[in-house]
Amino acid sequence: MQAKQTVRNHTSGWLPRLEAMGIAAWCNSIYTKTTKGPYQLLGKGYFLTVEDLWEIGDWQIDATTEDLTLGIDAYEAGYSLGIIDRYIQDICPADFNDWVSQKRRWAAGPYSYLGSDDFDFRELVRFWTYSASNQVISVVNVIGVPAGILYFMFVLAGFDLYNSPPLVIITIVNLLNWVYYSVKTYQATIHGVQFESRLERVKFYLSSNPISQLIYSMLWAIPISLAVWNYLFGDETREFHVTPKQTDTEVEMDSSYVDD
């Protein structure tokens, strides 16, 4: 069983605010479609018994993305994945370099299964559709978003650019798609992200919204490009490092928790 994810330290900076909405929306719209497998587990919020972990028998804690490895191994061992419609509160690095380091490692995970002989063609297509499609969209947005803004400015300036029926159809389809996923994004955020006050909620939505999410998706092009470069030209024997996640958010522990 895997819970959905969002971010609880969204008051720590602009990156945590953008990720709080972004990862909640991704879990709600995309991740739930991966349950047919090959599926990947997320960094937190998955539940299985110790007996199952021993039966799977290949949890590589020093892997580049150890949860992805465990999810793939569980799928190959015949385990199915259920999604819990609740959100766990993870912590997002507020420092940009730490954020890039973490996302680079996340983005690199699926490349180790590129051309895997363990999947048939249908499984490989499903895996890459849901694992790589978001990466491709982020990279394409680096060109597409500025081009779209420039195109819109030409239209406002009075240039007749809508004289092609295919272009009109593409524009309408993209607009409807954007509206649909914007609604799904707000549904996920309202469901998953918690606020201490109404003012905190207002500040959050002023800086994290469907427009700023376009910028956030473009930022992902940096760690994705680094991950691709590392896959093509880097050393495959990389050392595992835990990403720093310093936050001012304080969590009160009650007596039911044991400090080990």
Side-chain angles (χ1 to χ4, degrees):
M1 301 294 291
Q2 170 69 64
K4 299 175 182 179
Q5 287 189 192
T6 185
V7 170
R8 69 179 173 90
N9 66 316
H10 52 77
T11 59
S12 299
W14 60 281
L15 277 172
R17 280 195 296 273
L18 292 178
E19 180 150 333
M21 174 175 280
I23 195 170
W26 179 81
C27 286
N28 189 45
S29 302
I30 305 298
Y31 184 69
T32 53
K33 296 181 173 65
T34 68
T35 54
K36 290 183 179 180
Y39 53 79
Q40 52 183 305
L41 297 174
L42 305 181
K44 295 178 176 64
Y46 59 84
F47 304 88
L48 72 166
T49 66
V50 174
E51 290 81 4
D52 291 332
L53 190 60
W54 280 109
E55 184 175 337
I56 295 168
D58 193 23
W59 185 41
Q60 302 173 24
I61 194 171
D62 59 344
T64 304
T65 48
E66 70 284 358
D67 306 297
L68 173 65
T69 303
L70 178 59
I72 297 299
D73 290 338
Y75 171 76
E76 293 179 339
Y79 285 82
S80 58
L81 178 67
I83 304 297
I84 304 172
D85 192 19
R86 292 293 186 272
Y87 291 81
I88 61 108
Q89 309 288 319
D90 198 1
I91 294 177
C92 172
D95 179 79
F96 183 73
N97 290 332
D98 292 338
W99 181 86
V100 170
S101 176
Q102 183 190 68
K103 303 319 178 197
R104 177 182 183 176
R105 184 166 60 89
W106 288 7
Y111 292 104
S112 60
Y113 294 93
L114 180 64
S116 174
D117 296 332
D118 296 329
F119 301 150
D120 61 29
F121 179 75
R122 181 179 298 180
E123 290 173 326
L124 198 60
V125 168
R126 279 203 307 262
F127 180 73
W128 278 100
T129 296
Y130 295 117
S131 297
S133 59
N134 281 348
Q135 296 190 20
V136 172
I137 290 173
S138 294
V139 175
V140 170
N141 278 347
V142 174
I143 299 175
V145 172
I149 294 174
L150 181 62
Y151 186 87
F152 182 66
M153 292 176 63
F154 278 133
V155 172
L156 292 181
F159 289 91
D160 185 16
L161 302 177
Y162 282 97
N163 54 6
S164 171
L167 184 58
V168 173
I169 294 174
I170 291 173
T171 302
I172 293 175
V173 169
N174 283 332
L175 179 61
L176 292 176
N177 184 69
W178 182 75
V179 171
Y180 172 77
Y181 280 104
S182 295
V183 171
K184 297 284 286 185
T185 295
Y186 276 112
Q187 287 177 343
T189 307
I190 292 171
H191 189 194
V193 181
Q194 298 180 354
F195 304 98
E196 295 294 332
S197 65
R198 182 176 298 177
L199 179 60
E200 185 177 285
R201 184 190 302 270
V202 171
K203 289 181 178 179
F204 177 88
Y205 284 115
L206 284 176
S207 58
S208 190
N209 49 65
I211 300 298
S212 62
Q213 286 299 308
L214 288 176
I215 300 175
Y216 181 64
S217 70
M218 293 166 64
L219 287 177
W220 267 86
I222 298 174
I224 289 171
S225 299
L226 292 173
V228 172
W229 177 269
N230 195 86
Y231 172 75
L232 294 176
F233 307 107
D235 183 5
E236 294 184 359
T237 58
R238 297 183 301 277
E239 185 179 352
F240 177 84
H241 294 283
V242 176
T243 307
K245 297 181 180 180
Q246 295 180 352
T247 175
D248 295 331
T249 304
E250 296 182 358
V251 181
E252 296 182 359
M253 306 290 283
D254 60 32
S255 59
S256 63
Y257 289 86
V258 178
D259 184 4
D260 58 358

